[in-house]
Amino acid sequence: MADTMSTQDKLALIKVNLYEVLKEDLIEDVVIRQNRPLKIYWGTATTGRPHCGYFVAMVKIAHFLRAGCTVKLLLADIHGFLDNLKAPIELVKFRAEYYRFVITSLLKSLNVPIDRLMIVLGSSYQLSAEYTMDLFRLSSVVTEHDSKKAGSEVVKQVANPTLSGLIYPLMQALDEQHLDVDAQFGGVDQRKIFTLAIESLPKIGYKERAHLMNPMVPGLSGGKMSASDPDSKIDLLDPPDVVEKKLKKAHCPPKEVDGNGILGFVEYVLLSVDSLKRGGKGKFIVERRKPEDGEPLVYEDIATLKADYEADKLTPQLIKPAITKALIELLKPIQEEYQASPEWQEITTKAYPPPEVKKKDKKPKNLGTRFPGAKGGVEAKPDGRVEGRAQDQVNLGTGAEEAMDNLAVAQKAPS
């Protein structure tokens, strides 16, 4: 497809649906003046399980591939470890392999050519002497303040951060040079790291790169979609009943368009995926609740859908079932491939082992201070005697007669 596209069409496809582009002139120089494929890298730290939000990035990568770009997909295993130990070192290898399975399956489900796609493991080059020396050089020209600021929206923020969080942004910038790319792609939450790369790489003799940014699609609970928050996302392997349950609970206030993750998913995933499959405009179909309510609502652009939602013509009760149906269909080939792959299933268990069930410690019963043997009470002796502050209350004596008298047991005369 890319061979038949004009340079302007390629540029348009590269930039479609992006939130922002930094150094756009560098992209035009490669595509128009140098007339060669644009080399782009996208990285993902191999931490929590990939969720449906990954479709947003995959759709954009599909656009790059269709526009004839060469895409390097970085499985950033060391970054996952550096980000406040989100990926324990003993699980890093397995999680990187799990991500490889998921991302490959995601792209295959979108029916895009992957002959220009390269999947690279971060540790395959980030442990080299050359990379390490470059990291030292970069750390000598970037201040602690600038590195911390760059990672503030990406690296997990804690009260007492470790130095690893400062290394993370430097490595992400340095990856542009060592992956030999023209541009880096990511979410708009990466903007500060992208700016750091533009400002700092020339200081150690490396060229500036362009940066392409996707918008951040809100999660199901209204905030950022996160792998660590199960209520904000749908796992790619969630069965249909779980998908339906999560979407029913999703934050989708009537008439509200801004910050609505449900509408964002239609715009950046469902319409775009359908467009890729059709080779033209995508369609999103919303069935009416009753046949007598009229024909299904068919949307080919997000502006019309948003206008209907604001006017309450399209309601949460209508759009949620439509998204549920479309998403279950979208996940079907991925889940079928997972079920057919014992290797993928095995690596899933190794990468994300089920948490150990901790047995509750049995707490000793509190029998009260009047219980024989309790602190401040009484203590029984082997010969039957009792000693302690409360011995007078429980002492029955040393013989049977004395015990009977103390218990005040009287024999009743027969009537």
Side-chain angles (χ1 to χ4, degrees), residues 157-388:
Q157 302 299 297
V158 294
N160 190 24
T162 59
L163 287 176
S164 61
L166 301 178
I167 300 172
Y168 187 112
L170 302 185
M171 289 180 63
Q172 186 170 336
L174 203 53
D175 288 335
E176 296 178 358
Q177 174 66 23
H178 285 261
L179 287 171
D180 185 27
V181 295
D182 305 305
Q184 184 180 171
F185 165 63
V188 71
D189 59 336
Q190 309 269 340
R191 193 183 195 282
K192 292 176 182 177
I193 294 180
F194 292 167
T195 302
L196 178 78
I198 291 172
E199 294 175 349
S200 61
L201 286 182
K203 292 179 182 178
I204 60 171
Y206 295 141
K207 66 180 182 180
E208 294 178 339
R209 268 76 177 185
H211 295 87
L212 307 101
M213 284 166 273
N214 252 352
M216 298 303 295
V217 178
L220 301 182
S221 55
K224 181 180 177 180
M225 197 177 291
S226 169
S228 61
D229 180 4
D231 291 331
S232 75
K233 52 92 178 182
I234 293 173
D235 192 277
L236 293 166
L237 300 179
D238 277 344
D241 59 322
V242 175
V243 172
E244 184 177 6
K245 183 179 178 182
K246 287 184 177 181
L247 283 170
K248 277 184 178 178
K249 293 166 56 180
H251 180 71
C252 187
K255 302 181 184 180
E256 289 188 23
V257 171
D258 294 336
N260 191 320
I262 291 291
L263 302 191
F265 195 78
V266 175
E267 179 176 6
Y268 294 103
V269 177
L270 298 181
L271 280 173
S272 296
V273 168
D274 198 58
S275 173
L276 285 168
K277 291 182 177 180
R278 289 175 182 271
K281 273 196 171 184
K283 289 184 180 180
F284 176 62
I285 300 172
V286 180
E287 299 287 346
R288 303 281 192 173
R289 301 184 77 179
K290 299 176 184 177
E292 56 267 29
D293 291 339
E295 294 292 320
L297 298 169
V298 180
Y299 296 100
E300 294 186 345
D301 63 88
I302 195 64
T304 305
L305 186 145
K306 287 182 177 180
D308 280 0
Y309 195 81
E310 284 183 310
D312 211 28
K313 179 180 177 181
L314 179 61
T315 64
Q317 292 77 16
L318 287 175
I319 196 171
K320 283 186 176 183
I323 289 182
T324 301
K325 181 180 178 182
L327 182 54
I328 289 172
E329 192 64 26
L330 198 57
L331 295 175
K332 188 177 178 180
I334 299 168
Q335 295 179 0
E336 286 177 349
E337 186 173 353
Y338 173 79
Q339 293 298 332
S341 173
E343 188 182 357
W344 187 355
Q345 294 171 35
E346 182 184 357
I347 210 72
T348 302
T349 305
K350 291 179 178 179
Y352 303 97
E356 293 183 11
V357 179
K358 292 184 179 180
K359 293 182 179 180
K360 292 184 178 179
D361 295 331
K362 289 186 177 181
K363 294 182 179 179
K365 293 181 179 179
N366 184 3
L367 300 175
T369 57
R370 295 177 66 86
F371 177 69
K375 188 176 180 181
V378 294
E379 181 182 358
K381 296 298 181 180
D383 61 1
R385 294 179 299 105
V386 290
E387 294 180 359

Side-chain angles (χ1 to χ4, degrees), residues 36-95:
R36 64 171 176 83
L38 183 71
K39 295 181 290 184
I40 303 173
Y41 110 76
W42 175 76
T44 180
T46 53
T47 53
R49 287 170 62 131
H51 47 75
C52 286
Y54 273 65
F55 272 113
V56 180
M58 292 303 106
V59 165
K60 197 60 236 167
I61 288 172
H63 289 158
F64 297 150
L65 291 169
R66 288 211 169 173
C69 302
T70 297
V71 178
K72 293 185 178 181
L73 202 154
L74 174 65
L75 299 179
D77 50 345
I78 293 181
H79 283 83
F81 173 69
L82 291 175
D83 189 1
N84 202 44
L85 300 181
K86 278 185 180 178
I89 194 69
E90 63 273 11
L91 297 181
V92 162
K93 176 183 175 182
F94 300 126
R95 292 190 175 181

